[in-house]
Amino acid sequence: MKLYYAPGACSLADHIALIATETAYELEKVDLKTKKTEGGEDYTKINPKGYVPALQINDGEILTENIAILCYIATQSSALLPPDGMAHWRVLEATAFISTELHKNFKPLLVPDSSEDEKHGAQKTLATRFEHLEHRLGDRAFIVGDTMTIADCYLFVMLMWAKVKVGLAIPPHLTRYYERMKQNPSVVRALHEEGLS
Ligand SMILES: N[C@@H](CCC(=O)N[C@@H](CS)C(=O)NCC(=O)O)C(=O)O
């Protein structure tokens, strides 16, 4: 499999998942401004949506969208997503929440043309969403169940953005979780491979 990524972007979640599941993978960096891959290809020909992540599956098929890619990686390896039962749906519930309620709400804080009102609104919404996760997490090590799942891969990236990219305060349980996840060997390796350690 080949993951098209940009350093520190949401594609980092998929990168962590590839490592945590011991999947064989290659990486190809994408310049999101020029839409060129490291190898000089036009990225919009690979993923016409123009954004990362995209996962090239071994038969050449391209899969996009974080939730789909994370589920694909987990399903191929039988790790990071309980195969059935309520735990399976709880992981998908948390992953959808992270994608639609956290990831999307960072946008006004990351693009240069947002108004102050838009930025303020995004900060308020994110604070509410993080508060919800703070209560869900409590003292536990992972956001769903007792082992790492795709939801943790994605949540780590959102917390990294909050801390490092936009300087948003995050509540104490989530702060401790972030610090623990930063030491997770899959996270350490993914950050290193993206030039972020
Ligand atoms: N709906 C997509 C959104 C992906 C996304 O927002 N990617 C960002 C990086 S975190 C990106 O590539 N932005 C550049 C662009 O849109 O041109 C998903 O969930 O995978």
Side-chain angles (χ1 to χ4, degrees):
M1 286 183 214
K2 187 199 276 187
L3 178 69
Y4 291 90
Y5 80 103
C10 53
S11 45
L12 175 59
D14 311 280
H15 188 179
I16 295 168
L18 284 167
I19 297 169
T21 54
E22 298 180 10
T23 305
Y25 66 93
E26 290 169 60
L27 292 173
E28 183 141 7
K29 202 191 309 191
V30 177
D31 182 328
L32 292 173
K33 288 204 182 87
T34 61
K35 307 290 178 197
K36 285 262 186 238
T37 69
E38 214 170 6
E41 280 177 278
D42 176 356
Y43 182 61
T44 62
K45 296 222 166 90
I46 296 160
N47 177 9
K49 296 172 193 166
Y51 51 65
V52 291
L55 186 72
Q56 186 186 310
I57 294 161
N58 295 337
D59 61 5
E61 192 89 39
I62 295 283
L63 186 65
T64 62
E65 301 300 321
N66 267 302
I67 297 179
I69 294 174
L70 287 168
C71 288
Y72 182 84
I73 294 168
T75 306
Q76 291 301 303
S77 67
S78 307
L80 296 183
L81 177 63
D84 47 33
M86 203 56 209
H88 174 88
W89 302 111
R90 289 292 175 214
V91 173
L92 293 188
E93 179 184 49
T95 307
F97 182 82
I98 293 161
S99 175
T100 60
E101 302 299 331
L102 288 180
H103 185 176
K104 277 296 136 189
N105 279 312
F106 270 97
K107 195 160 183 198
L109 304 174
L110 297 173
V111 297
D113 52 357
S114 320
S115 67
E116 283 310 306
D117 272 1
E118 286 168 330
K119 285 187 195 162
H120 185 66
Q123 281 165 343
K124 255 181 89 176
T125 307
L126 282 170
T128 312
R129 302 297 184 252
F130 278 128
E131 206 49 55
H132 168 76
L133 290 175
E134 173 77 356
H135 290 300
R136 271 207 72 122
L137 179 68
D139 278 328
R140 292 179 310 106
F142 300 104
I143 196 65
V144 183
D146 298 328
T147 54
M148 181 163 150
T149 68
I150 53 172
D152 296 293
C153 300
Y154 207 167
L155 180 55
F156 170 76
V157 179
M158 296 301 106
L159 291 169
M160 188 177 93
W161 286 5
K163 282 255 179 207
V164 179
K165 278 198 177 183
V166 302
L168 204 69
I170 51 175
H173 290 307
L174 280 172
T175 300
R176 285 191 285 275
Y177 165 90
Y178 170 72
E179 295 302 332
R180 280 195 308 271
M181 283 294 291
K182 240 177 27 181
Q183 309 301 319
N184 178 287
S186 305
V187 172
V188 170
R189 183 171 145 197
L191 289 172
H192 177 73
E193 288 179 352
E194 296 198 7
L196 300 171
S197 31

